[in-house]
Amino acid sequence: MAPHRLDRATARRVAVRAQLLDAERPTDLLAVVDRLTFLQIDPTAAVAPNADLVAWTRLGAAYRPSQLTRALEADRALFEHRAMVRPMADLGLHLAEMAVWPEDARRRDWLAANDAFRRYVLDLLRDSGPLLSRDVPDRSVVSWPSTGWTNNRNVTQMLEFLAARGEVAISGRVGRQRTWDLAERVYPPGTSAVPAEEAHRARDERRLRSLGVARAVVVGEAGEPAEVERTSGVWRVDPAALDGVRFAGRTALLSPFDRLVHDRRRALELFDFEYRLEMYVPRAQRRWGYFALPVLHRDRLVGKVDATADRRGAVLRVDAIHEDVPFTPEVTASVHAELAALASWLGLPEVCLPSS
């Protein structure tokens, strides 16, 4: 079929609406996770944990982190797998992939060498689970070799690998520490694996619905082809997003991991937005800050806010507001209002703005 021809404003609005960042806020956490397909978990909490920050950006003041905990640990409406929170209804789309994991020889060989350890962990969880990783003795025969932080962390690696295979699952958390149990006690019994090829297509379609417009390398052949003004090559667009609904935007402070900006090339092509996460960049080389929050205003990404939740000082500390384009008085007021809303949600009574 002939590709849709989108001007950049239309493409941006499709992307913003797909990510539930237009003026019509959702009201239900499960609906948000279903639409986004996942919330990424990241330990960095300079402002708030990523999953909570993404949920707050969509739901606003009504959202509480306890809602996410309840959905994961009590209702089992969501599940945590490989640093992503996903709808439990999507579990069947991942089971076929779990069944053949791992595909690389290095991990296969390590699991084979430690098969007795693997069986011991499963037996221990069956008898005593759920358990923290520190409650599982290291009975590995071959240590996990790495030049990074996972070197010799054999218990953690075994639990991660068994979770990737769908044999164990994350049952809950004690503080920030995960508890592990047999998958059969966490996942709904009788969940059928969707055949791999069908599951792959369905996940591509759901991913495109959450993005609105994306490159084929991200969503495969999902949706329909599109050309976007002032970009080269073919995009894929969710045809349901081209329904002519009038766009009404708002101002939002985004997590650095937010999927509207996660694909840096897409953010540059559609929004003229240059960004990188600078938490691993030496302080002297940072342009925007340790955990700078991208600023969305209507259908444009207009700047970054370098902010930190200073709980000891009971303040949301804003070290800098970077204007990619000069802020109008309206944008400035909207950004300040969002900062006040963020501080209130965090339980911080004050916003400390940079001196002009």
Side-chain angles (χ1 to χ4, degrees), residues 141-212:
V141 175
V142 176
S143 293
W144 175 256
S146 172
T147 58
W149 71 274
T150 61
N151 185 59
N152 206 34
R153 296 175 63 95
N154 303 310
V155 170
T156 299
Q157 286 300 91
M158 179 58 74
L159 290 167
E160 294 276 12
F161 287 7
L162 294 180
R165 289 160 58 95
E167 294 182 88
V168 308
I170 297 167
S171 176
R173 286 180 178 259
V174 177
R176 296 177 67 175
Q177 300 297 309
R178 296 168 294 181
T179 58
W180 305 83
D181 206 345
L182 297 179
E184 64 199 51
R185 293 178 182 159
V186 177
Y187 299 153
T191 302
S192 300
V194 177
E197 189 172 331
E198 180 184 344
H200 185 76
R201 285 197 303 270
R203 286 163 61 183
D204 281 347
E205 289 166 1
R206 285 182 47 68
R207 194 177 304 115
L208 178 60
R209 182 169 179 259
S210 77
L211 296 171

Side-chain angles (χ1 to χ4, degrees), residues 270-289:
L270 297 185
F271 294 89
D272 294 316
F273 187 69
E274 183 183 358
Y275 183 78
R276 69 171 176 169
L277 180 60
E278 296 182 319
M279 56 194 290
Y280 302 114
V281 176
R283 181 186 296 270
Q285 298 176 25
R286 292 174 189 156
R287 296 175 60 187
W288 303 302

Side-chain angles (χ1 to χ4, degrees), residues 311-343:
R311 298 193 178 278
R312 186 170 294 180
V315 63
L316 179 63
R317 194 172 305 282
V318 180
D319 292 322
I321 298 177
H322 302 279
E323 301 181 12
D324 286 17
V325 294
F327 284 8
T328 64
E330 177 200 0
V331 174
T332 298
S334 296
V335 170
H336 288 182
E338 281 300 295
L339 286 167
L342 177 58

Side-chain angles (χ1 to χ4, degrees), residues 7-298:
D7 59 56
R8 294 175 86 228
T10 299
R12 289 195 301 268
R13 291 171 182 180
V14 165
V16 169
R17 286 176 54 203
Q19 279 286 297
L20 303 177
L21 288 166
D22 59 337
E24 187 177 349
R25 284 184 182 269
T27 58
D28 179 72
L29 174 63
L30 298 184
V32 168
V33 182
D34 179 68
R35 178 57 175 261
L36 303 185
T37 75
F38 63 83
L39 300 177
Q40 180 178 342
I41 295 175
D42 188 88
T44 308
V47 174
N50 177 68
D52 292 322
L53 187 55
V54 169
W56 170 79
T57 302
R58 275 71 182 174
L59 295 163
Y63 171 72
R64 292 290 180 268
S66 60
Q67 297 170 12
L68 181 58
T69 301
R70 184 173 64 249
L72 283 164
E73 300 181 17
D75 301 339
R76 299 294 192 204
L78 304 173
F79 71 100
E80 179 180 340
H81 181 68
R82 306 192 75 181
M84 304 290 182
V85 171
R86 298 184 182 276
M88 190 66 82
D90 283 357
L91 175 62
L93 298 178
H94 298 271
L95 291 177
E97 183 178 273
M98 293 181 193
V100 298
W101 196 96
E103 296 185 352
D104 63 292
R106 181 173 179 242
R107 290 176 174 81
R108 281 201 312 268
D109 292 347
W110 188 80
L111 282 170
N114 286 294
D115 190 59
F117 180 32
R118 167 186 165 274
R119 287 183 278 108
Y120 168 75
V121 170
L122 293 174
D123 289 342
L124 180 64
L125 291 177
R126 183 171 293 107
D127 294 340
S128 306
L131 296 173
L132 297 165
S133 60
R134 64 170 178 251
D135 298 325
V136 179
D138 184 355
R139 294 196 178 183
S140 59
V141 175
V142 176
S143 293
W144 175 256
S146 172
T147 58
W149 71 274
T150 61
N151 185 59
N152 206 34
R153 296 175 63 95
N154 303 310
V155 170
T156 299
Q157 286 300 91
M158 179 58 74
L159 290 167
E160 294 276 12
F161 287 7
L162 294 180
R165 289 160 58 95
E167 294 182 88
V168 308
I170 297 167
S171 176
R173 286 180 178 259
V174 177
R176 296 177 67 175
Q177 300 297 309
R178 296 168 294 181
T179 58
W180 305 83
D181 206 345
L182 297 179
E184 64 199 51
R185 293 178 182 159
V186 177
Y187 299 153
T191 302
S192 300
V194 177
E197 189 172 331
E198 180 184 344
H200 185 76
R201 285 197 303 270
R203 286 163 61 183
D204 281 347
E205 289 166 1
R206 285 182 47 68
R207 194 177 304 115
L208 178 60
R209 182 169 179 259
S210 77
L211 296 171
V213 58
R215 295 292 191 178
V217 68
V218 177
V219 298
E221 294 302 306
E224 296 175 357
E227 296 174 353
V228 177
E229 175 191 23
R230 289 166 47 202
T231 70
S232 60
V234 177
W235 298 72
R236 306 295 297 184
V237 66
D238 175 12
L242 302 175
D243 57 9
V245 173
R246 193 168 185 175
F247 178 83
R250 60 183 173 93
T251 301
L253 302 176
L254 307 181
S255 164
F257 300 101
D258 197 290
R259 255 41 199 183
L260 190 70
V261 297
H262 185 266
D263 184 334
R264 310 303 191 209
R265 179 182 172 185
R266 175 176 177 264
L268 189 61
E269 288 186 301
L270 297 185
F271 294 89
D272 294 316
F273 187 69
E274 183 183 358
Y275 183 78
R276 69 171 176 169
L277 180 60
E278 296 182 319
M279 56 194 290
Y280 302 114
V281 176
R283 181 186 296 270
Q285 298 176 25
R286 292 174 189 156
R287 296 175 60 187
W288 303 302
Y290 177 84
F291 198 73
L293 307 177
V295 179
L296 174 71
H297 181 69
R298 296 179 182 165

